Amino acid sequence: MTGNNVSHPNHSHLRLKRLGIDTYREFVIYMNRDCEVCRAEGFEVRSRIAVESSGKSIVATLNVTGDDLLSTDEAGLSEAAWKALSAEEGQIVTLLHPSPLISESHLRRKVYGGTLGKEELEHIVRDVAGGFYDDIHLAAFVTACAGDRLNAQETIDLTAAMISAGDTLTWQSSRVADKHCIGGLPGNRTSMIVVPIVAAAGLVIPKTSSRAITSPAGTADVMETLTRVDLDLGEMKRVVEQEGGCIAWGGAMRLSPADDILIGVERPLDFDSEGQLVASVLSKKIAAGSTHVVLDLPVGPTAKLRNAEAAARLASRLQQTADAFGLIVKIVETDGTQPVGRGIGPVLEARDVVAVLQNDPAAPADLRKRALGLSGQLLELAGAAASGGGLVLAESLLSSGAAWRKFQSICAAQGGMRDLTFAPHRYEVLALQAGQVTSIDNRKLAKVAKLAGAPRAPMAGVDFHAPLGSIVKLGQPLYTVHAETPGELAYALDYAKSQTEMIEVWETT
Amino acid sequence: MTGNNVSHPNHSHLRLKRLGIDTYREFVIYMNRDCEVCRAEGFEVRSRIAVESSGKSIVATLNVTGDDLLSTDEAGLSEAAWKALSAEEGQIVTLLHPSPLISESHLRRKVYGGTLGKEELEHIVRDVAGGFYDDIHLAAFVTACAGDRLNAQETIDLTAAMISAGDTLTWQSSRVADKHCIGGLPGNRTSMIVVPIVAAAGLVIPKTSSRAITSPAGTADVMETLTRVDLDLGEMKRVVEQEGGCIAWGGAMRLSPADDILIGVERPLDFDSEGQLVASVLSKKIAAGSTHVVLDLPVGPTAKLRNAEAAARLASRLQQTADAFGLIVKIVETDGTQPVGRGIGPVLEARDVVAVLQNDPAAPADLRKRALGLSGQLLELAGAAASGGGLVLAESLLSSGAAWRKFQSICAAQGGMRDLTFAPHRYEVLALQAGQVTSIDNRKLAKVAKLAGAPRAPMAGVDFHAPLGSIVKLGQPLYTVHAETPGELAYALDYAKSQTEMIEVWETT
């Protein structure tokens, strides 16, 4: 080959200036529109640019500025990018065109309805975990896998790819218990009761939880109102070695990090994929070193699983995938027709959990019963109770106060227990007619809690007073909306008032 | 209903400061992390916020800054948002929670594989055209409709929704001609030859073109190297009334504006949807007031349509949809096995077009032949030539110089004709063995042109010297890569050199 006019530039350099712009997770690089590097490399707004410094490298999306923010030899970074590079003011960064991503062609094939092999999913997941996908490509991947668009083998391969893209934990014990609920049911905060019961029985249960994806609260959000949850791997190991159990946020560790990134896009999109759900749940459990896991699948017309058929399909996919990894699971389908407990939102749900653990006679009986049922199953599955003896053991550990003491010890080990404080702005939504409550729309109730600010605003949410079958009087409160700001309260109420069929009350004769 | 502690705040206000950050199309609002409005309304990074001022309203995504960029009573906007609001420095804006989008639940249904009705698609398209979808939601919609995931009725309804979300044009003439190529074939720049031939025949042909979506150049990009293309509706009407035809960029008008927004996401994703392609093409034609349209569908193993079956499926969907709107179309499947002409990239393609129009003996014969064939079809379809007489008429209008004079007049009417200038950085890729060219990978060749900077850098691209069947000697140039910067040249060559099978040369015996 011969050429003319070719000079292969080594690199382009700019000096970092901290602009302090927080874009959430997205890596953005800011450059002056007249900067030499833009011209020499042909970068333009929205170009993807590889940014390297001191051996670290990220790929960021270009936003262009005028002279007010940056001079032509400076570059800014979004806070997430700044952190990922461990950048310092004035540091020199090298900018270059990123290599084209091989996995983009796999993504495209999936979008067109193709089936992906193990290596192709590994490429995609590695690129996702490496931060090489921008939001548009993440959204395309999540959408292409939505519903039932991943087959059984793809689900297994995606799970394996997610595990291998992150860290994994190992434990001394040969039996490591865990439980997980697939969500979709407001207030279903059983993990925070199951973990202390099971740990009090002497089992090892290193529970990592997620923050809410599409719901008003995830277990990590609720636990965080009572103690620290952003433990790193070392801290988590120490807590579990000392107490037998923990309830930590998985996102602060690198267990299945691609999953955390995908969740960041699933949240605004507000939808799940069956295959991704399975891969997300099981990759986290396997990476955390769990061996025996109870999976709670709430089923109901407005829960995530709407009917027995959907539940059976998901259960079979979960079982199949778990089998492929030698993970022993017990899948429990539970009632998903209405919220569990009374609170919906981090602080309100924490209040219910503490009441159950303290054996408060006013504690929500349904939450207590669900948590005991799941604890019993897990105690049997992991061999701490004989078949049929799990529930009795769980009840005795709860009633005796052993579980509450264990919960307090776990909180102390995680960084100390906090007192709950409640929202300053509240509004009671009242029954417009007397009668019996005949149906409840979980999704709409959850939406009210989210519009009120949950889970970001921990005190926000809904306190629910009228379970299915309740007899209510005219003007009796059906639920109370809690918010941290007047704006959010108004916003939630605007929606709540437009949804009169959210809770149906039938006149009793 | 009764409540306690409720104060419904009217509004929250901030003063605008121009930060000058260009995010391309995305609406971003920047606010100080300690600002009162954030706290009062519960806004956080990535919240969607309705921004209102002087009767205009947009929805923007929140990025949060420190004190360096904004004080706590100031807000910044991305340049696209600034422009959409016609904002001025120091102007007061009102910030509030946007109403939840009804169309999000329709989107979710489509993601899960459901079928959407007319009203649901109208909701989605209206929200897209109104700028209420962020990139993540746009990417999800595009992905959910990708491949063949829109059925025939959805395609018709999407087309209708796209038309009604924008402006429409009407013309004096009862027959308004147009042509469109679905793309996928590098260098296939026939429109710029067909329009002057057909206009020279006395027909009305108000051609609006797009910029490249996934290719190294769209007709608008190529035409822009010779004259102004960002005409508004009034300017376009004037040009067409005066000259019978125009070649303008559709994106500067509000013909099917939702389509322009969707294309902004399709471009980085680099994929098309069959139904969206049909809706995109036909909504633009119908909104532009066309009545008789020739559609060019190139077919070949590495073209957008890979085989006769895919072409037949798309042709039938186009015909069906056109019929539903009373649009008369003629669908022409053409050879898509190799690039057309020699240039790939805006300036290089413009050079080929001008050579054909000038009857230059060295002009690419294949481009000339294709353009004449399509012109003949269109002249017959729109009644300017008897059946079978179209090609002869087209040839005489081209050979006589009438088409070239018409092209120059159109350029003059659009704002004056420019001279072409060529790229300063070039590299010849040579044959590594002697023989006959037996296959060409259009996609990879297009990718080289894109990596070299096309279409953003108009002089960038590939000049292709070795069409199928050519006999080449060892060391003879197969193609020349053109770039505006050394960085882009190096980037394109890195890729080109790794793709040795892009052009296959077989030893002849």
Side-chain angles (χ1 to χ4, degrees), chain A residues 55-282:
Chain A
K56 293 193 176 184
S57 171
I58 59 166
V59 175
T61 301
L62 178 62
N63 280 191
V64 155
T65 74
D67 297 331
D68 290 349
L69 295 196
L70 294 166
S71 67
T72 54
D73 59 353
E74 288 176 328
L77 293 173
S78 62
E79 289 295 286
W82 190 275
K83 199 172 155 194
L85 273 184
S86 310
E88 283 174 30
E89 190 74 36
Q91 187 176 338
I92 301 299
V93 288
T94 304
L95 305 171
L96 52 176
H97 291 273
S99 316
L101 292 178
I102 302 171
S103 75
E104 271 199 59
S105 64
H106 311 329
L107 167 60
R108 204 169 305 126
R109 206 142 67 71
K110 190 69 211 164
V111 167
Y112 288 138
T115 302
L116 297 183
K118 189 170 161 55
E119 281 195 15
E120 294 166 321
L121 284 162
E122 275 172 7
H123 280 149
I124 291 176
V125 169
R126 208 183 306 142
D127 284 340
V128 168
F132 299 123
Y133 271 41
D134 62 12
D135 281 353
I136 291 176
H137 287 83
L138 290 172
F141 180 61
V142 165
T143 306
C145 299
D148 57 358
R149 293 206 182 100
L150 289 176
N151 70 24
Q153 189 58 47
E154 285 176 310
T155 305
I156 292 169
D157 292 339
L158 180 62
T159 306
M162 282 182 164
I163 296 167
S164 69
D167 295 333
T168 51
L169 284 173
T170 49
W171 303 94
Q172 300 278 343
S173 173
S174 64
R175 293 183 174 213
V176 179
D178 212 340
K179 71 136 311 237
H180 186 86
C181 174
I182 62 145
L185 199 54
N188 192 18
R189 212 48 58 206
T190 52
S191 292
M192 289 166 66
I193 303 166
V194 173
V195 168
I197 289 175
V198 170
L203 286 172
V204 171
I205 180 162
K207 174 99 184 90
T208 62
S209 296
S210 55
R211 299 192 184 276
I213 302 176
T214 62
S215 71
T219 293
D221 303 308
V222 178
M223 188 68 181
E224 195 170 37
T225 66
L226 291 164
T227 188
R228 214 187 123 210
V229 295
D230 56 338
L231 311 182
D232 63 27
L233 283 179
E235 290 171 320
M236 179 185 172
K237 284 212 106 160
R238 190 185 45 73
V239 173
V240 173
E241 272 158 23
Q242 184 184 314
E243 299 299 336
C246 71
I247 303 166
W249 175 47
M253 303 165 206
R254 281 195 78 253
L255 302 171
S256 195
D259 185 49
D260 299 328
I261 292 171
L262 291 170
I263 283 173
V265 171
E266 284 167 23
R267 192 192 311 239
L269 287 175
D270 201 11
F271 57 70
D272 278 316
S273 136
E274 186 175 291
Q276 250 165 16
L277 183 88
V278 169
S280 169
V281 169
L282 297 183

Side-chain angles (χ1 to χ4, degrees), chain A residues 4 22 40 44 64 426 456, chain B residues 4 22 44 64 426 456 485:
Chain A
N4 45 46
D22 183 353
E44 64 166 352
V64 155
R426 302 181 203 174
R456 180 190 35 75
Chain B
N4 46 43
D22 184 352
E44 64 166 355
V64 155
R426 303 180 202 174
R456 178 190 36 74
T485 69

Side-chain angles (χ1 to χ4, degrees), chain A residues 342 351-365 368 398:
Chain A
R342 302 200 185 97
R351 177 204 60 193
D352 288 353
V353 164
V354 169
V356 169
L357 285 169
Q358 291 180 328
N359 292 299
D360 182 337
R368 179 185 171 94
L398 181 61

Side-chain angles (χ1 to χ4, degrees), chain A residues 2 4-6 22 24 39-40 42 44 46 64 98 111-112 135 149 271-272 424 426 428 456 485 491, chain B residues 2 4-6 22 24 39-40 42 44 46 64 98 111-112 135 149 271-272 424 426-428 456 485 491:
Chain A
T2 65
N4 45 46
N5 276 337
V6 173
D22 183 353
Y24 190 58
R39 274 213 297 276
E44 64 166 352
R46 223 176 190 174
V64 155
V111 167
Y112 288 138
D135 281 353
R149 293 206 182 100
F271 57 70
D272 278 316
R426 302 181 203 174
E428 289 186 333
R456 180 190 35 75
T485 69
Y491 188 43
Chain B
T2 64
N4 46 43
N5 275 337
V6 173
D22 184 352
Y24 189 58
R39 274 213 298 274
E44 64 166 355
R46 223 176 190 171
V64 155
V111 168
Y112 287 138
D135 282 353
R149 293 206 182 101
F271 57 69
D272 278 317
R426 303 180 202 174
Y427 190 97
E428 289 186 334
R456 178 190 36 74
T485 69
Y491 189 45

